[in-house]
Amino acid sequence: MEIKLASSYGFCFGVKRAIEIAEAHKGAVTYGPLIHNKDEINRLKNGYNIGLVEKLDELKKKDTVVIRTHGIPKNELEVLKQQEHKIIDATCPYVTTPQNIVEKMSSEGYSVVIFGDKSHPEIKGVVSYAKDEKNAFIVLEPNELKKLPLKSKVAVVSQTTKKPEDFAKIVTSLMGTHKEIRVFNTICNATFENQDSASSLAKEADIMIVIGGKHSSNTKQLHSICERDCVNSYLIENEQELDKNWFFHKKLCGISAGASTPDWIVQNVIKKIEEYQ
Ligand code: SF4
């Protein structure tokens, strides 16, 4: 069986940058997981003594706090500043962009539509930048737009990891009801590149292995794209989740990995699959 890696996979610019920032601040703590990959978080803990707190009141005085790639709500950032922690901001610049757009457009009197998952940390952060949170709306489907009390001018942004075609459906639906729409395509390139190359590989593969955190929206999306083109698509966090039986009678095994997946995990997976041959 041939094993082929997608031409673009794994760590994106924002995650590489956040890890380098954390490695440069040994002994710091991250507020919320730095990235969606628990194996990499363990590596940072063991090699660089990087701690993790989930609640603001778990922080100790003088802690150096690293802000995760997908940002935190504005009010929490303000609390951190008041508590006089040393703050190291590892928020990805592609996430800071929609935060700034939401802040600016809502101050200019636009209703803000955010295409994304309400429960995703990035979206909780982005919506918190609206001047008036009652005038900022998070939606996943075009039919949710109908019941919203939108003003005549609307600005729309997307969660960075969403599919462009789904974002386009939201925009098209708004065009049917509103004359003034400001569209900001805040989907990041890393997502496009990994998705496009996973999709073309899935078309030729008999089996696709997508490696990444099960809570990573980016990885789940990669997996759903692969499933569209290859019925035997599996999402795993690491090599321990592989099952030898998946590979019987398969000729080409494609591999892709989410934007928070370190290369050492990808290599471990390849090594284990090679042992099945
Ligand atoms: S997926 Fe995109 S937005 Fe998210 S951390 Fe990576 S580069 Fe930044």
Side-chain angles (χ1 to χ4, degrees):
M1 183 181 66
E2 187 191 346
I3 300 170
K4 196 167 166 185
L5 267 164
S7 54
S8 170
Y9 69 93
F11 271 2
C12 58
F13 149 80
V15 167
K16 275 188 201 144
R17 177 177 170 273
I19 288 170
E20 280 164 19
I21 291 173
E23 286 178 350
H25 293 89
K26 273 191 179 173
V29 290
T30 67
Y31 174 44
L34 186 66
I35 61 169
H36 291 294
N37 188 291
K38 59 179 189 314
D39 293 323
E40 182 65 6
I41 285 169
N42 286 339
R43 189 191 69 86
L44 288 171
K45 171 139 196 56
N46 299 333
Y48 296 85
N49 193 23
I50 302 292
L52 165 65
V53 299
E54 298 280 1
K55 292 190 191 130
L56 287 175
D57 57 15
E58 290 169 12
L59 286 166
K60 295 192 212 75
K61 258 191 183 167
K62 304 238 161 70
D63 269 345
T64 296
V65 184
V66 180
I67 308 293
R68 65 192 174 204
T69 40
H70 285 158
I72 61 171
K74 193 178 176 186
N75 62 323
E76 294 185 355
L77 188 60
E78 272 152 19
V79 171
L80 283 176
K81 284 181 186 161
Q82 282 158 14
Q83 289 176 344
E84 292 171 24
H85 294 293
K86 185 175 176 195
I87 300 168
I88 310 292
D89 195 357
T91 308
C92 175
Y94 288 119
V95 174
T96 319
T97 301
Q99 291 176 346
N100 293 339
I101 292 169
V102 166
E103 188 161 44
K104 179 170 185 290
M105 298 316 290
S106 61
S107 327
E108 289 179 17
Y110 284 77
S111 284
V112 177
V113 171
I114 302 164
F115 169 50
D117 302 299
K118 275 192 178 70
S119 57
H120 194 284
E122 175 189 323
I123 294 305
K124 287 184 182 168
V126 168
V127 72
S128 73
Y129 279 79
K131 197 172 162 236
D132 171 12
E133 279 200 41
K134 288 199 195 79
N135 198 25
F137 306 93
I138 304 165
V139 298
L140 265 181
E141 301 286 339
N143 60 23
E144 292 171 48
L145 293 165
K146 287 185 213 124
K147 23 181 198 244
L148 302 180
L150 294 172
K151 293 186 186 174
S152 59
K153 30 187 216 172
V154 178
V156 54
V157 296
S158 172
Q159 186 172 335
T160 52
T161 44
K162 286 292 176 200
K163 288 187 206 158
E165 57 267 38
D166 293 339
F167 183 46
K169 284 182 197 154
I170 301 288
V171 174
T172 308
S173 174
L174 282 170
M175 281 170 69
T177 50
H178 286 74
K179 288 279 177 222
E180 186 174 346
I181 310 159
R182 300 282 307 272
V183 180
F184 298 89
N185 180 0
T186 47
I187 297 175
C188 91
N189 286 343
T191 312
F192 287 133
E193 285 162 15
N194 283 3
Q195 287 180 356
D196 288 349
S197 43
S199 165
S200 49
L201 182 54
K203 287 190 176 83
E204 51 169 326
D206 313 292
I207 174 165
M208 272 303 292
I209 303 293
V210 179
I211 312 158
K214 299 232 165 83
H215 298 295
S216 155
S217 136
N218 165 293
T219 307
K220 284 191 281 185
Q221 202 134 52
L222 261 189
H223 180 230
S224 86
I225 285 169
C226 291
E227 271 183 321
R228 222 168 41 195
D229 295 311
C230 175
V231 282
N232 301 308
S233 291
Y234 300 93
L235 169 55
I236 60 166
E237 294 208 344
N238 53 42
E239 74 280 6
Q240 284 144 26
E241 295 179 13
L242 286 168
D243 181 340
K244 195 176 178 176
N245 296 321
W246 297 343
F247 301 88
F248 280 144
H249 307 303
K250 302 291 187 301
K251 290 196 178 73
L252 177 62
C253 169
I255 295 189
S256 180
S260 314
T261 309
D263 208 46
W264 59 269
I265 296 184
V266 177
Q267 295 311 322
N268 285 352
V269 168
I270 293 176
K271 217 166 122 209
K272 181 96 183 264
I273 297 173
E274 281 170 348
E275 284 169 14
Y276 295 151
Q277 315 241 32

